[in-house]
Amino acid sequence: MNATWVGLSLAILITVSFSARAKQEVTLNSQFKTAYFSYQGAVKNNDADSQFKYATEAYQLGSKFYGTANINTANLALILARLHLDKNQKEQATSLLLNTLNAFKVEYGDSAIDLAEIYILLGLSLNYDQRKKSINYHLKALSIAEEHAAEHPFINAQIQLEAGIALLRLGSSKSNAILTAQEFFKDKLSSNDKRVIESNFYAGKYYLTRRKYSKSVDYFESNLPVFKALEGATHPLELNTHAFLINALEKSGKSDEATNHCIAIGSMTPWDDSQEPIPLFRVEPIYPVDYARRGKSGYVIIGFTISDFGTVLDTKVLESIGGKQFERTALAALNNWRYAPKFEDGKPVEKYATVQLDFKIRK
């Protein structure tokens, strides 16, 4: 074959090859943009299922278009990892986050402020049996945020709050980062700012877990004027604030003050007659020592009245197995429980209920 013809044939093949590749890239880019814009639309419409669907498609298409190590792909992976965490799909989230972390380090450096959020999400993606590793991820996030505190003070405080909340769940003493964040937000923002409300709430939980009930009450109560000033829908943290206040006040021996919060919760939550009411505060019955030594188990079913104040009245044993000591300790415990009263026509009323307390020897 003539050498000129060979060269011409190769040129044609290469041109066709590049042309086909360019067409594929245009198609892929178009598909990616469609998926990503659909994801953004789902976010605006608050459609969780569609968000996950289109975020998955955008990540898969973006990986092909940009390449798996590209920073754009890493950002898409970060979006998808958050959605996996929302679904409690922790393993999938961990894998995406580790890849994202590597890409961010290459792009921004090992101590960039952008890495702090990824470390927090990595900590959240691990199960409790990996508690130590999870704590270390959150501490790494705190360390990075602290390095950038001067230039990004609000980001630093937000990372302190988010990491502190996670560390509180993990039982780490480093959860006192919540208090530092609370002080910053309280000083810089108005009392109705969501960051102030959230940090007050978790500062209350922090002290509640440490049995410093008076301080706990102070932080929880600091949000009450904000909740009271709201018109229409209640704040997402309002019901939980009342519930934790009941717990803190009861443990402080201030049962009368807890009553207002029982009534407040009752007014906020509709009563479901088909379900057993859930106590807002409960004292566990003491297992009789003699029965425990003999390995005795049993149960007690008690009928009682939930008063319009949420207290327990008129307790009566309906059925029991195991012995009279189970009955006595069950009644003694139940008399200290608190409930949200039932509301009818806008007013709290008494309501009859039953509960079963089980006594079992753990082996």
Side-chain angles (χ1 to χ4, degrees):
M1 182 182 289
N2 187 290
T4 303
W5 282 105
V6 172
L8 182 60
S9 299
L10 286 173
I12 292 173
L13 286 173
I14 292 171
T15 301
V16 171
S17 175
F18 278 129
S19 176
R21 185 183 301 171
K23 188 175 181 180
Q24 288 175 349
E25 287 185 355
V26 170
T27 301
L28 189 58
N29 186 28
S30 176
Q31 291 173 335
F32 165 71
K33 287 181 177 179
T34 298
Y36 187 70
F37 290 147
S38 296
Y39 161 74
Q40 290 181 316
V43 172
K44 290 180 180 178
N45 295 327
N46 200 27
D47 185 341
D49 290 337
S50 293
Q51 285 180 45
F52 187 81
K53 174 186 175 182
Y54 292 120
T56 302
E57 289 182 12
Y59 170 68
Q60 291 171 343
L61 292 165
S63 297
K64 294 177 182 178
F65 183 74
Y66 294 114
T68 55
N70 186 275
I71 191 63
N72 292 316
T73 304
N75 279 305
L76 294 169
L78 186 57
I79 291 170
L80 185 56
R82 291 194 196 100
L83 295 174
H84 274 298
L85 284 176
D86 289 342
K87 291 176 170 286
N88 202 33
Q89 296 171 345
K90 295 186 174 183
E91 289 186 11
Q92 296 91 324
T94 303
S95 177
L96 288 165
L97 289 166
L98 288 173
N99 291 335
T100 300
L101 180 65
N102 291 332
F104 270 54
K105 283 183 176 181
V106 170
E107 185 74 15
Y108 304 119
D110 289 348
S111 299
I113 188 68
D114 309 76
L115 301 181
E117 182 190 3
I118 301 174
Y119 279 117
I120 285 181
L121 294 174
L122 274 168
L124 296 175
S125 75
L126 301 178
N127 292 318
Y128 194 81
D129 58 359
Q130 294 178 287
R131 175 177 173 273
K132 186 175 181 181
K133 190 173 184 180
S134 179
I135 288 174
N136 286 335
Y137 277 138
H138 291 298
L139 294 181
K140 183 66 175 177
L142 287 172
S143 175
I144 287 175
E146 180 64 26
E147 287 184 39
H148 299 272
E151 55 190 309
H152 299 293
F154 280 90
I155 293 177
N156 178 49
Q158 188 62 40
I159 294 298
Q160 288 174 331
L161 180 58
E162 292 178 15
I165 291 169
L167 291 167
L168 184 62
R169 296 192 186 104
L170 293 167
S172 169
S173 61
K174 299 298 183 179
S175 58
N176 60 1
I178 292 170
L179 305 181
T180 308
Q182 190 276 338
E183 284 293 327
F184 176 85
F185 286 138
K186 183 187 71 171
D187 184 55
K188 301 294 184 182
L189 303 169
S190 63
S191 61
N192 63 354
D193 188 282
K194 65 179 182 180
R195 288 163 289 186
V196 175
I197 296 170
E198 188 178 23
S199 59
N200 286 341
F201 176 78
Y202 282 101
K205 287 191 70 174
Y206 172 86
Y207 282 116
L208 184 60
T209 61
R210 280 152 182 77
R211 301 181 181 180
K212 295 184 177 180
Y213 303 123
S214 179
K215 284 189 174 182
S216 176
V217 168
D218 288 342
Y219 281 106
F220 286 132
E221 287 186 339
S222 65
N223 282 335
L224 294 182
V226 178
F227 298 153
K228 189 175 181 179
L230 290 175
E231 295 181 5
T234 58
H235 191 278
L237 287 177
E238 184 173 359
L239 191 147
N240 281 338
T241 296
H242 287 296
F244 282 114
L245 269 168
I246 292 167
N247 197 295
L249 289 167
E250 287 285 352
K251 289 182 176 178
S252 301
K254 298 179 179 179
S255 187
D256 289 343
E257 293 182 35
T259 295
N260 292 332
H261 302 288
C262 292
I263 294 172
I265 292 176
S267 68
M268 294 167 62
T269 55
W271 189 282
D272 188 347
D273 287 311
S274 66
Q275 294 183 357
E276 184 179 286
I278 299 174
L280 299 171
F281 174 79
R282 61 181 290 163
V283 175
E284 294 300 326
I286 299 172
Y287 210 112
V289 176
D290 181 49
Y291 285 9
R293 286 172 180 166
R294 290 187 280 159
K296 289 188 68 173
S297 297
Y299 67 85
V300 183
I301 299 176
I302 303 172
F304 61 100
T305 298
I306 298 174
S307 77
D308 52 353
F309 292 134
T311 55
V312 172
L313 305 173
D314 305 325
T315 54
K316 183 179 180 180
V317 174
L318 304 178
E319 180 183 333
S320 72
I321 287 180
K324 290 293 183 181
Q325 289 189 53
F326 282 149
E327 294 182 7
R328 283 194 289 272
T329 189
L331 288 168
L334 183 60
N335 282 324
N336 291 296
W337 289 17
R338 300 302 300 267
Y339 287 86
K342 181 179 182 179
F343 267 65
E344 291 182 354
D345 300 323
K347 295 182 180 180
V349 297
E350 293 185 349
K351 176 65 179 177
Y352 182 78
T354 62
V355 67
Q356 177 173 321
L357 298 179
D358 295 311
F359 295 84
K360 295 180 179 178
I361 298 293
R362 295 180 180 177
K363 298 181 179 179

